[in-house]
Amino acid sequence: MISKHSHEQSDHGEGVEVVQNQPFQDPHHGSGQFTEKRVYLNSKLPSWARAVVPKIFYVTEKAWNYYPYTITEYTCSFLPKFSIHIETKYEDNKGSNDRIFDNEAKDLEREVCFIDIACDEIPERYYKESEDPKHFKSEKTGRGQLREGWRDSHQPIMCSYKLVTVKFEVWGLQTRVEQFVHKVVRDILLIGHRQAFAWVDEWYDMTMDEVREFERATQEATNRKIGLLPPAISISGIPLLPAAIRSAPSSAPSTPLSTDAPEFLSVPRDRPRKKSAPETLTLPDPETKASLDLPGRPMSE
């Protein structure tokens, strides 16, 4: 459903480009799936943020999915002191585990925010009645039309616990940017989980192989939609090279080794001298300065 949401939110020049989507093995968490994406979102930034970022601006998303535990990181090369780190744990309860992140965030100051996919308000521009859990009812599962207090009575139920850490270590902007990002993340989580629930009939019967094929086809369509060529999405492990010899991704522009300026920037050596200014500057004789008639200033006797 993340693939479908990304496709819907993408348009020419902006959206979500999938760079990698492949299996990944972790010595601690076991088998999982690694994805790397570029999120182009210049037009979605507030005016004060657009004023300080380049026109072609994207955030890199890297995610490691070891369900029921996932890690997602967002960084931006243009803003090296900016990062978002999200850890997610899933449990079959209604959000009653208050200590689920005690080990990961024991030294952090935390604010706990409950997100109700049925009753919390979302920005009006994102509202769709077909994705409203209060109106939607699943044909395949019978779930839906959630009412006030549904978390106390609905079965089955699962809670997605997320530990969101935002850092923007720039004096004068840190608090404003971090608060803004936390609000944006909350809105995205609310909208995304409402959609996942309302789209249940689309994914409920899928096998894992069908999920991967759906991802591949949707990601290629999304990359075309934002004006990019379909990515070569690997489904096998890629050994990591030592940092000293690791090359940049093929999508990154190469940096020329020569220190000479490009031809279109070089200045011709025999360029004729401009004639817009005089060759010499003549100053008035100090002894005759009293006779100068300066506009708007009376002459001295």
Side-chain angles (χ1 to χ4, degrees), residues 19-285:
V19 180
Q20 294 186 65
N21 183 2
Q22 61 192 36
F24 189 83
Q25 190 71 27
D26 183 84
H28 179 66
H29 300 293
S31 299
Q33 192 78 6
F34 170 74
T35 59
E36 179 180 351
K37 304 174 184 177
R38 292 176 181 173
V39 185
Y40 299 85
L41 38 60
N42 190 282
S43 68
K44 294 180 172 59
L45 296 174
S47 57
W48 58 265
R50 288 199 299 269
V52 296
V53 301
K55 187 173 182 180
I56 301 177
F57 172 76
Y58 66 84
V59 172
T60 299
E61 174 197 290
K62 294 184 179 181
W64 295 263
N65 188 339
Y66 311 104
Y67 182 85
Y69 174 68
T70 68
I71 304 170
T72 308
E73 293 180 349
Y74 297 89
T75 56
C76 176
S77 59
F78 176 71
L79 301 170
K81 295 187 177 182
F82 168 77
S83 66
I84 306 173
H85 182 88
I86 303 177
E87 293 183 59
T88 305
K89 295 183 180 181
Y90 300 89
E91 288 191 351
D92 293 333
N93 57 51
K94 57 184 179 181
S96 54
N97 188 350
D98 296 331
R99 307 185 64 180
I100 190 168
F101 286 117
D102 278 1
N103 291 333
E104 292 83 357
K106 58 184 177 181
D107 297 325
L108 298 179
E109 181 179 344
R110 287 178 286 173
E111 177 185 350
V112 179
C113 176
F114 287 92
I115 295 180
D116 187 329
I117 64 171
C119 301
D120 285 357
E121 293 186 2
I122 67 170
E124 186 177 352
R125 65 184 181 277
Y126 295 123
Y127 178 81
K128 294 182 181 179
E129 185 174 349
S130 61
E131 297 174 358
D132 189 338
K134 293 193 297 292
H135 301 295
F136 168 78
K137 188 173 182 64
S138 168
E139 295 180 359
K140 294 183 179 181
T141 67
R143 305 169 192 169
Q145 294 184 328
L146 304 180
R147 302 300 181 218
E148 189 77 35
W150 66 272
R151 289 189 295 182
D152 296 325
S153 58
H154 199 281
Q155 290 294 333
I157 190 170
M158 179 182 70
C159 182
S160 170
Y161 294 86
K162 292 184 179 287
L163 178 64
V164 182
T165 305
V166 179
K167 292 184 179 180
F168 186 69
E169 299 172 353
V170 176
W171 186 84
L173 290 174
Q174 181 171 5
T175 300
R176 183 177 187 179
V177 171
E178 291 180 355
Q179 289 177 346
F180 169 76
V181 172
H182 274 294
K183 180 183 182 302
V184 170
V185 170
R186 187 192 185 283
D187 288 346
I188 292 174
L189 294 177
L190 174 59
I191 295 167
H193 285 79
R194 283 168 62 99
Q195 290 176 330
F197 180 81
W199 295 341
V200 61
D201 287 345
E202 298 182 34
W203 54 258
Y204 185 73
D205 295 330
M206 281 188 178
T207 65
M208 188 54 65
D209 288 340
E210 290 171 335
V211 168
R212 296 299 176 218
E213 174 57 26
F214 179 88
E215 285 182 331
R216 184 198 62 77
T218 306
Q219 289 161 4
E220 290 187 0
T222 302
N223 285 5
R224 287 195 298 268
K225 190 176 181 181
I226 62 177
L228 298 166
L229 295 175
I233 299 174
S234 173
I235 58 173
S236 60
I238 298 178
L240 294 178
L241 297 175
I245 60 172
R246 193 178 302 165
S247 62
S250 57
S251 58
S254 59
T255 303
L257 297 179
S258 172
T259 57
D260 295 336
E263 183 178 351
F264 68 90
L265 289 179
S266 59
V267 179
R269 296 180 180 178
D270 57 347
R271 184 176 63 178
R273 190 171 181 179
K274 283 188 175 182
K275 297 298 183 181
S276 58
E279 296 292 335
T280 60
L281 180 63
T282 304
L283 296 176
D285 188 340

